[in-house]
mmCIF file of all heavy atoms in Angstrom:
data_model
loop_
_atom_site.group_PDB
_atom_site.id
_atom_site.type_symbol
_atom_site.label_atom_id
_atom_site.label_comp_id
_atom_site.label_asym_id
_atom_site.label_seq_id
_atom_site.Cartn_x
_atom_site.Cartn_y
_atom_site.Cartn_z
ATOM 1 N N ALA A 391 58.455 8.848 23.815
ATOM 2 C CA ALA A 391 58.302 9.801 22.586
ATOM 3 C C ALA A 391 57.133 10.663 22.821
ATOM 4 O O ALA A 391 56.639 11.370 21.937
ATOM 5 C CB ALA A 391 58.151 8.960 21.347
ATOM 6 N N LYS A 393 55.331 13.609 23.675
ATOM 7 C CA LYS A 393 55.438 15.020 23.919
ATOM 8 C C LYS A 393 54.270 15.625 24.716
ATOM 9 O O LYS A 393 54.490 16.508 25.532
ATOM 10 C CB LYS A 393 55.650 15.819 22.652
ATOM 11 C CG LYS A 393 54.579 15.583 21.541
ATOM 12 C CD LYS A 393 55.076 14.520 20.593
ATOM 13 C CE LYS A 393 53.929 14.031 19.734
ATOM 14 N NZ LYS A 393 54.310 13.355 18.525
ATOM 15 N N ALA A 418 62.869 11.546 21.247
ATOM 16 C CA ALA A 418 61.859 11.342 20.120
ATOM 17 C C ALA A 418 60.613 12.222 20.232
ATOM 18 O O ALA A 418 59.830 12.294 19.308
ATOM 19 C CB ALA A 418 61.472 9.861 20.180
ATOM 20 N N ALA A 419 60.500 12.866 21.391
ATOM 21 C CA ALA A 419 59.235 13.690 21.618
ATOM 22 C C ALA A 419 59.219 14.931 20.750
ATOM 23 O O ALA A 419 58.235 15.534 20.541
ATOM 24 C CB ALA A 419 59.039 14.039 23.080
ATOM 25 N N VAL A 420 60.387 15.394 20.375
ATOM 26 C CA VAL A 420 60.479 16.628 19.599
ATOM 27 C C VAL A 420 61.197 16.433 18.238
ATOM 28 O O VAL A 420 62.296 15.961 18.212
ATOM 29 C CB VAL A 420 61.197 17.765 20.372
ATOM 30 C CG1 VAL A 420 61.253 19.057 19.550
ATOM 31 C CG2 VAL A 420 60.617 18.012 21.721
ATOM 32 N N ALA A 421 60.403 16.654 17.226
ATOM 33 C CA ALA A 421 60.978 16.567 15.799
ATOM 34 C C ALA A 421 61.508 15.164 15.480
ATOM 35 O O ALA A 421 62.509 15.075 14.796
ATOM 36 C CB ALA A 421 62.085 17.611 15.575
ATOM 37 N N GLY A 422 60.820 14.107 16.002
ATOM 38 C CA GLY A 422 61.087 12.802 15.609
ATOM 39 C C GLY A 422 62.562 12.383 15.583
ATOM 40 O O GLY A 422 63.236 12.361 16.630
ATOM 41 N N ILE A 446 57.635 21.811 13.238
ATOM 42 C CA ILE A 446 57.781 20.710 14.152
ATOM 43 C C ILE A 446 56.527 19.820 14.149
ATOM 44 O O ILE A 446 56.352 19.055 15.044
ATOM 45 C CB ILE A 446 58.192 21.212 15.578
ATOM 46 C CG1 ILE A 446 57.342 22.414 15.959
ATOM 47 C CG2 ILE A 446 59.621 21.477 15.682
ATOM 48 C CD1 ILE A 446 57.609 22.911 17.376
ATOM 49 N N ASN A 447 55.712 19.968 13.134
ATOM 50 C CA ASN A 447 54.652 19.012 12.970
ATOM 51 C C ASN A 447 54.604 18.558 11.502
ATOM 52 O O ASN A 447 54.295 19.355 10.587
ATOM 53 C CB ASN A 447 53.268 19.689 13.419
ATOM 54 C CG ASN A 447 52.180 18.614 13.309
ATOM 55 O OD1 ASN A 447 51.504 18.499 12.253
ATOM 56 N ND2 ASN A 447 51.999 17.831 14.316
ATOM 57 N N GLY A 448 54.947 17.295 11.284
ATOM 58 C CA GLY A 448 55.048 16.750 9.947
ATOM 59 C C GLY A 448 53.718 16.717 9.255
ATOM 60 O O GLY A 448 53.561 17.025 8.039
ATOM 61 N N THR A 449 52.584 16.405 9.984
ATOM 62 C CA THR A 449 51.292 16.242 9.400
ATOM 63 C C THR A 449 50.859 17.582 8.768
ATOM 64 O O THR A 449 50.432 17.575 7.570
ATOM 65 C CB THR A 449 50.289 15.843 10.460
ATOM 66 O OG1 THR A 449 50.685 14.632 11.045
ATOM 67 C CG2 THR A 449 48.875 15.660 9.924
ATOM 68 N N THR A 450 50.967 18.720 9.545
ATOM 69 C CA THR A 450 50.519 19.940 8.941
ATOM 70 C C THR A 450 51.434 20.470 7.846
ATOM 71 O O THR A 450 50.982 21.030 6.873
ATOM 72 C CB THR A 450 50.451 21.022 10.065
ATOM 73 O OG1 THR A 450 51.620 20.973 10.837
ATOM 74 C CG2 THR A 450 49.231 20.854 10.919
ATOM 75 N N GLY A 475 51.201 7.135 9.075
ATOM 76 C CA GLY A 475 51.592 7.042 10.496
ATOM 77 C C GLY A 475 52.186 8.322 11.047
ATOM 78 O O GLY A 475 52.832 8.321 12.124
ATOM 79 N N TYR A 476 51.987 9.460 10.358
ATOM 80 C CA TYR A 476 52.497 10.779 10.854
ATOM 81 C C TYR A 476 51.557 11.342 11.897
ATOM 82 O O TYR A 476 52.025 11.934 12.876
ATOM 83 C CB TYR A 476 52.600 11.807 9.728
ATOM 84 C CG TYR A 476 53.403 11.393 8.547
ATOM 85 C CD1 TYR A 476 53.062 11.882 7.303
ATOM 86 C CD2 TYR A 476 54.554 10.595 8.636
ATOM 87 C CE1 TYR A 476 53.784 11.591 6.198
ATOM 88 C CE2 TYR A 476 55.264 10.265 7.514
ATOM 89 C CZ TYR A 476 54.871 10.734 6.342
ATOM 90 O OH TYR A 476 55.635 10.419 5.197
ATOM 91 N N ALA A 477 50.284 11.180 11.688
ATOM 92 C CA ALA A 477 49.257 11.894 12.543
ATOM 93 C C ALA A 477 49.179 11.319 13.892
ATOM 94 O O ALA A 477 49.413 10.091 14.146
ATOM 95 C CB ALA A 477 47.949 11.964 11.795
ATOM 96 N N GLU A 478 48.711 12.175 14.864
ATOM 97 C CA GLU A 478 48.514 11.682 16.269
ATOM 98 C C GLU A 478 47.239 10.886 16.228
ATOM 99 O O GLU A 478 46.399 11.003 15.337
ATOM 100 C CB GLU A 478 48.331 12.889 17.163
ATOM 101 C CG GLU A 478 49.570 13.734 17.361
ATOM 102 C CD GLU A 478 50.681 12.857 17.901
ATOM 103 O OE1 GLU A 478 50.637 12.267 18.959
ATOM 104 O OE2 GLU A 478 51.730 12.795 17.170
ATOM 105 N N ASP A 484 47.209 17.700 15.736
ATOM 106 C CA ASP A 484 48.133 18.116 14.605
ATOM 107 C C ASP A 484 47.589 19.444 14.020
ATOM 108 O O ASP A 484 48.323 20.432 14.013
ATOM 109 C CB ASP A 484 48.251 17.039 13.572
ATOM 110 C CG ASP A 484 48.897 15.783 14.115
ATOM 111 O OD1 ASP A 484 50.082 15.829 14.444
ATOM 112 O OD2 ASP A 484 48.234 14.725 14.156
ATOM 113 N N ASP A 489 49.972 19.690 18.953
ATOM 114 C CA ASP A 489 51.210 18.877 18.926
ATOM 115 C C ASP A 489 52.475 19.686 18.843
ATOM 116 O O ASP A 489 53.448 19.485 19.537
ATOM 117 C CB ASP A 489 51.086 17.855 17.821
ATOM 118 C CG ASP A 489 52.334 17.003 17.633
ATOM 119 O OD1 ASP A 489 52.558 16.084 18.514
ATOM 120 O OD2 ASP A 489 53.129 17.253 16.733
ATOM 121 N N LYS A 493 55.670 20.272 21.573
ATOM 122 C CA LYS A 493 57.109 20.183 21.248
ATOM 123 C C LYS A 493 57.883 21.511 21.543
ATOM 124 O O LYS A 493 58.958 21.489 22.062
ATOM 125 C CB LYS A 493 57.353 19.812 19.783
ATOM 126 C CG LYS A 493 56.739 18.412 19.481
ATOM 127 C CD LYS A 493 56.630 18.179 17.992
ATOM 128 C CE LYS A 493 56.082 16.802 17.645
ATOM 129 N NZ LYS A 493 55.617 16.662 16.254
ATOM 130 N N ALA A 568 56.441 15.916 4.986
ATOM 131 C CA ALA A 568 56.402 15.627 6.418
ATOM 132 C C ALA A 568 57.729 15.956 7.125
ATOM 133 O O ALA A 568 57.929 15.688 8.255
ATOM 134 C CB ALA A 568 56.086 14.168 6.676
ATOM 135 N N ASN A 570 60.666 18.012 9.033
ATOM 136 C CA ASN A 570 60.736 18.941 10.079
ATOM 137 C C ASN A 570 62.050 19.738 9.951
ATOM 138 O O ASN A 570 62.980 19.215 9.382
ATOM 139 C CB ASN A 570 60.739 18.337 11.459
ATOM 140 C CG ASN A 570 59.361 17.908 11.934
ATOM 141 O OD1 ASN A 570 59.133 17.645 13.117
ATOM 142 N ND2 ASN A 570 58.387 17.792 11.058
ATOM 143 N N GLY A 588 60.476 14.190 10.880
ATOM 144 C CA GLY A 588 59.993 14.512 12.222
ATOM 145 C C GLY A 588 58.911 13.489 12.699
ATOM 146 O O GLY A 588 58.368 13.615 13.784
ATOM 147 N N ALA A 589 58.669 12.495 11.871
ATOM 148 C CA ALA A 589 57.643 11.485 12.211
ATOM 149 C C ALA A 589 57.932 10.219 11.488
ATOM 150 O O ALA A 589 58.845 10.165 10.594
ATOM 151 C CB ALA A 589 56.251 12.036 11.885
ATOM 152 N N GLY A 590 57.185 9.191 11.798
ATOM 153 C CA GLY A 590 57.315 7.882 11.137
ATOM 154 C C GLY A 590 58.050 6.885 11.990
ATOM 155 O O GLY A 590 58.669 7.182 12.959
ATOM 156 N N THR A 594 61.596 7.969 14.117
ATOM 157 C CA THR A 594 61.366 8.164 15.506
ATOM 158 C C THR A 594 62.049 7.138 16.370
ATOM 159 O O THR A 594 62.582 7.475 17.417
ATOM 160 C CB THR A 594 59.829 8.167 15.781
ATOM 161 O OG1 THR A 594 59.219 9.084 14.764
ATOM 162 C CG2 THR A 594 59.519 8.713 17.133
HETATM 163 N N1 HSE B 238 51.879 13.831 14.673
HETATM 164 C C1 HSE B 238 53.265 14.266 14.724
HETATM 165 C C2 HSE B 238 53.592 14.994 13.451
HETATM 166 C C3 HSE B 238 54.159 12.991 14.859
HETATM 167 O O1 HSE B 238 52.855 14.966 12.558
HETATM 168 O O2 HSE B 238 54.655 15.612 13.369
HETATM 169 C C4 HSE B 238 55.499 13.350 15.218
HETATM 170 O O3 HSE B 238 55.646 13.913 16.520
#
Side-chain angles (χ1 to χ4, degrees):
K393 52 265 165 161
V420 182
I446 42 180
N447 182 268
T449 301
T450 44
Y476 304 148
E478 293 305 299
D484 295 295
D489 176 73
K493 295 166 181 167
N570 280 197
T594 312

